[in-house]
Amino acid sequence: MEFNNWKLDKIENIHFEEFFNLIENNRNHIIKTFPVTVSNCVDLKTTEEFITKNLQVEKEKTGFYFYVRDIITNKLIGYIGIKKIDYDISKCELFYFIDKDFEGKGIISKAVSEVIDFCFQELNMNKIFICTSKINFGSQQIALKNGFVQEGTLRQEFKNFEGILEDINYYGLLKSDYER
């Protein structure tokens, strides 16, 4: 999948060192919203273990990972994942971030759109949801631009990097709404 100066790449094409560099370059920027990823990528060894574990998760079809790659520099500039897949009720969660230097260009919104297509077409999901920090307005805008509806606020649903439970906004997109 290729657009303008970027493309989506799959996990089997990712070298752990380039993913570590993406996390390292954005560590302070994403630590509040991606504490698990940040804590699993503290150095090259833990990052390699994290990518290896995610390769297994993808083989088991319990999660899927996409990477936004700048096709001019070949650098990773974003990360999108599918988790909490419930095949019984055909529902999954999306998470994503874009390198701080590429924010505001519409790249992650378009990349999320491609992953939404994958969820509905390839995984045959009926619903996709996104949970965002109440202060992450950029992520909320991406959800809304892609047709998601805020369904509510989940109280003390997310443990941040300091171990504090926070409220999150819950956005949902049904396949029937997406097809319209």
Side-chain angles (χ1 to χ4, degrees):
M1 295 172 260
E2 204 170 293
F3 317 89
N4 301 329
N5 293 331
W6 60 271
K7 67 178 182 174
L8 278 184
D9 215 342
K10 295 288 285 159
I11 192 168
E12 58 268 11
N13 300 325
I14 303 304
H15 190 272
F16 68 90
E17 194 168 340
E18 64 180 340
F19 187 68
F20 173 77
N21 290 336
L22 174 66
I23 299 303
E24 189 64 21
N25 292 339
N26 290 279
R27 190 171 301 279
N28 293 333
H29 181 61
I30 64 170
I31 193 164
K32 290 182 179 178
T33 52
F34 277 79
V36 173
T37 303
V38 169
S39 67
N40 279 292
C41 298
V42 294
D43 55 32
L44 289 175
K45 183 180 182 327
T46 58
T47 305
E48 182 177 22
E49 292 166 357
F50 183 69
I51 293 290
T52 301
K53 181 181 137 220
N54 287 348
L55 275 163
Q56 186 60 38
V57 165
E58 195 160 293
K59 278 183 193 159
E60 295 167 356
K61 298 189 183 314
T62 56
F64 295 89
Y65 306 93
F66 299 87
Y67 302 82
V68 184
R69 184 180 295 282
D70 182 311
I71 59 175
I72 295 170
T73 65
N74 204 37
K75 284 181 61 177
L76 293 185
I77 60 169
Y79 178 48
I80 304 171
I82 304 167
K83 66 180 182 177
K84 296 184 182 170
I85 300 172
D86 185 333
Y87 289 104
D88 289 334
I89 59 173
S90 302
K91 168 175 119 166
C92 65
E93 180 179 358
L94 289 187
F95 62 88
Y96 45 84
F97 79 85
I98 188 86
D99 184 290
K100 62 188 180 315
D101 296 332
F102 291 85
E103 284 184 324
K105 300 178 189 300
I107 296 169
I108 198 71
S109 186
K110 289 178 186 150
V112 164
S113 176
E114 289 298 311
V115 176
I116 290 168
D117 289 344
F118 176 83
C119 291
F120 287 134
Q121 306 303 325
E122 303 296 321
L123 299 180
N124 202 28
M125 292 288 114
N126 180 59
K127 182 176 187 174
I128 305 168
F129 66 97
I130 295 171
C131 295
T132 72
S133 163
K134 293 182 81 176
I135 60 167
N136 191 341
F137 302 113
S139 184
Q140 293 167 28
Q141 286 304 307
I142 290 164
L144 295 171
K145 280 183 190 173
N146 279 287
F148 286 75
V149 174
Q150 185 174 352
E151 296 183 3
T153 299
L154 303 177
R155 298 180 315 144
Q156 296 187 1
E157 184 75 12
F158 177 75
K159 188 179 280 189
N160 71 17
F161 73 107
E162 296 169 323
I164 298 168
L165 291 172
E166 293 182 2
D167 296 352
I168 56 170
N169 290 341
Y170 183 100
Y171 296 84
L173 177 64
L174 297 176
K175 188 173 187 175
S176 57
D177 293 335
Y178 162 82
E179 290 173 336
R180 275 190 242 144

